[in-house]
Amino acid sequence: MQIGKVIHKYRKARNLTQEEMAKLLGVTAPAVNKWERGVNQPDIALLAPIARLLGITLETLLCFQEVPTAEEISGIIKHMDQTLETASYEDAFQYAADIIHKYPNCHLLIWQLALLLDVRNLMGGKDARAEKYQQQIVQWYAQALESDDAEVRKHAADSLFHYYVRKERYAEAEQFLCYFPSESIERKQMQAEIYSKTDRRAEAYKAYEEILFSEYQKLSVVLHHLYLLSLEDRQIEDAKMWIDKASGFATLFDMGLYHSESCKLELAAMEKDTALTLSIAKNLLDYLQQICVFTDSPMYAHMHFKTVEKSFYAKQRQHLLAAFRDKEAFAYMDGTPMWDELINKNET
């Protein structure tokens, strides 16, 4: 894009007429008109005032290239890979610098090129002088951090975070956590890493344990939905597989026998399997006191859980028994003596 087209584009975006722009810059309206038509170019002394007036950077004003397409970006990255493999690190760096100079507003491309150079640098590139280019790579990451695209900003922040961690400059690394949602797994892991690197051991353990606990809950929901989808599609064997996975998952994460058994009840009821239903129901009532057993697990030793009142278990028992007495859900259990005996025994 020629400079005149850039001026025209951003003047229109700011709802300025040529006359208004000319007056603010101290030039004539015909001068602005000639800039935009490509007849003349602004005097070099006017470049900074024009950029400020239009609310853009000098790089944007002077950029003569459009942002490359996705296909063009892919081609540039492929060529960069080849250059890193066949030429010196210095040649690859210069290629990246030329491309970034050509497309200073394509933050995704800037981040990708910087990342390729950074990774090759870490691998010990062919050029022993590669380290001297590191500061420019960091500056390119910082440039990408100015992107309007939140995903690009996250990528750049992640790269900067790991750069400063490698340099053991943890306070600077921690500043980039704000680019990630407070509840995101990436941010929690990065914060835990900072804790572990700065001798905040208890906080590091707690942070990692909280990640385990929250991810178990999320993945349990995912497994349950996969199970439900399988049921809707009449894929019974797949449904059984997901239930087995959910049960094993509960065991793996020290959720206790109650949780590893509870996920099996719905399928047993759907299949009207009286023996299996009776077995699961008995286990649920027997293991009810273990519903919060994970609070004593060494896997979550640094986490703090609320004390569970005895009334909680009593209410849970009442809910279970009420569900088992549901004639519609468990009508197939009518006439099973051990079923009635189980319910009556637990009611008393």
Side-chain angles (χ1 to χ4, degrees):
M1 182 183 291
Q2 299 296 322
I3 190 170
K5 292 182 179 180
V6 174
I7 292 172
H8 176 78
K9 174 183 175 180
Y10 288 99
R11 175 181 64 77
K12 291 294 232 180
R14 294 183 71 83
N15 294 317
L16 288 171
T17 65
Q18 290 183 344
E19 290 76 11
E20 289 170 334
M21 182 173 179
K23 183 177 180 181
L24 290 168
L25 292 171
V27 298
T28 64
V32 174
N33 181 270
K34 288 179 179 179
W35 297 343
E36 294 187 358
R37 289 188 295 117
V39 176
N40 290 328
Q41 291 191 2
D43 187 272
I44 191 170
L46 285 171
L47 294 179
I50 290 172
R52 286 195 296 270
L53 177 62
L54 298 178
I56 59 177
T57 64
L58 273 173
E59 288 82 2
T60 300
L61 181 62
L62 297 174
C63 180
F64 295 101
Q65 297 290 335
E66 296 280 5
V67 173
T69 64
E71 290 76 16
E72 289 172 328
I73 290 175
S74 178
I76 290 169
I77 296 302
K78 183 177 180 180
H79 183 78
M80 180 66 173
D81 273 329
Q82 292 172 345
T83 304
L84 282 167
E85 289 296 327
T86 60
S88 70
Y89 189 92
E90 185 174 5
D91 288 341
F93 183 91
Q94 189 57 54
Y95 172 73
D98 292 342
I99 292 294
I100 292 172
H101 179 74
K102 188 176 182 180
Y103 300 113
N105 298 313
C106 187
H107 296 103
L108 174 61
L109 178 59
I110 292 170
W111 168 72
Q112 288 177 313
L113 290 171
L115 183 65
L116 286 173
L117 288 167
D118 201 6
V119 170
R120 179 53 61 96
N121 201 3
L122 288 172
M123 292 169 60
K126 297 177 182 178
D127 193 327
R129 297 172 297 169
E131 181 61 28
K132 77 177 185 179
Y133 301 108
Q134 188 65 63
Q135 288 308 308
Q136 181 58 66
I137 292 172
V138 171
Q139 288 179 28
W140 284 333
Y141 282 149
Q143 192 173 337
L145 206 58
E146 299 173 1
S147 173
D148 293 331
D149 188 323
E151 282 301 308
V152 175
R153 291 198 302 273
K154 279 175 58 178
H155 289 319
D158 182 75
S159 297
L160 285 165
F161 171 85
H162 286 100
Y163 166 76
Y164 285 111
V165 166
R166 293 197 305 269
K167 296 298 181 181
E168 299 183 2
R169 293 158 63 176
Y170 303 119
E172 290 168 90
E174 201 163 6
Q175 294 176 2
F176 296 101
L177 299 186
C178 64
Y179 288 90
F180 299 83
S182 59
E183 293 304 311
S184 70
I185 185 68
E186 301 103 318
R187 179 165 178 166
K188 290 178 179 179
Q189 288 176 328
M190 292 159 81
Q191 183 66 75
E193 185 175 359
I194 291 293
Y195 286 150
S196 65
K197 298 289 187 181
T198 53
D199 290 329
R200 289 178 278 181
R201 314 299 288 182
E203 290 170 278
Y205 277 116
K206 182 172 183 263
Y208 282 126
E209 289 168 10
E210 286 175 347
I211 292 170
L212 279 179
F213 191 75
S214 64
E215 290 307 298
Y216 164 75
Q217 293 174 312
K218 292 175 186 176
L219 290 172
S220 292
V221 172
V222 171
L223 289 170
H224 184 68
H225 282 295
L226 286 167
Y227 156 74
L228 292 177
L229 279 173
S230 298
L231 284 186
E232 290 172 6
D233 293 336
R234 304 292 181 184
Q235 303 293 329
I236 303 304
E237 291 305 311
D238 285 349
K240 289 178 178 179
M241 175 192 71
W242 292 123
I243 288 299
D244 287 341
K245 297 291 185 185
S247 178
F249 207 50
T251 301
L252 178 65
F253 281 81
D254 279 4
M255 291 295 124
L257 293 169
Y258 180 89
H259 291 283
S260 65
E261 286 291 297
S262 61
C263 55
K264 304 174 183 177
L265 182 62
E266 188 174 3
L267 187 58
M270 190 200 75
E271 294 189 313
K272 296 181 172 52
D273 187 326
T274 56
L276 184 58
T277 300
L278 182 63
S279 174
I280 294 171
K282 183 178 184 304
N283 286 339
L284 291 181
L285 292 166
D286 288 346
Y287 300 147
L288 187 59
Q289 294 296 122
Q290 296 186 30
I291 198 170
C292 296
V293 71
F294 56 82
T295 60
D296 296 321
S297 168
M299 286 183 68
Y300 314 110
H302 297 80
M303 291 179 63
H304 303 293
F305 297 97
K306 292 181 180 178
T307 301
V308 180
E309 301 292 337
K310 289 184 179 180
S311 58
F312 168 79
Y313 297 108
K315 288 179 181 178
Q316 289 300 116
R317 186 175 296 276
Q318 290 172 9
H319 290 322
L320 275 177
L321 292 171
F324 295 155
R325 286 194 298 268
D326 185 334
K327 294 297 183 183
E328 183 176 349
F330 292 99
Y332 66 96
M333 297 301 291
D334 283 350
T336 306
M338 294 181 68
W339 178 254
D340 296 330
E341 180 182 339
L342 177 70
I343 293 176
N344 293 333
K345 176 183 174 182
N346 277 275
E347 283 180 335
T348 57

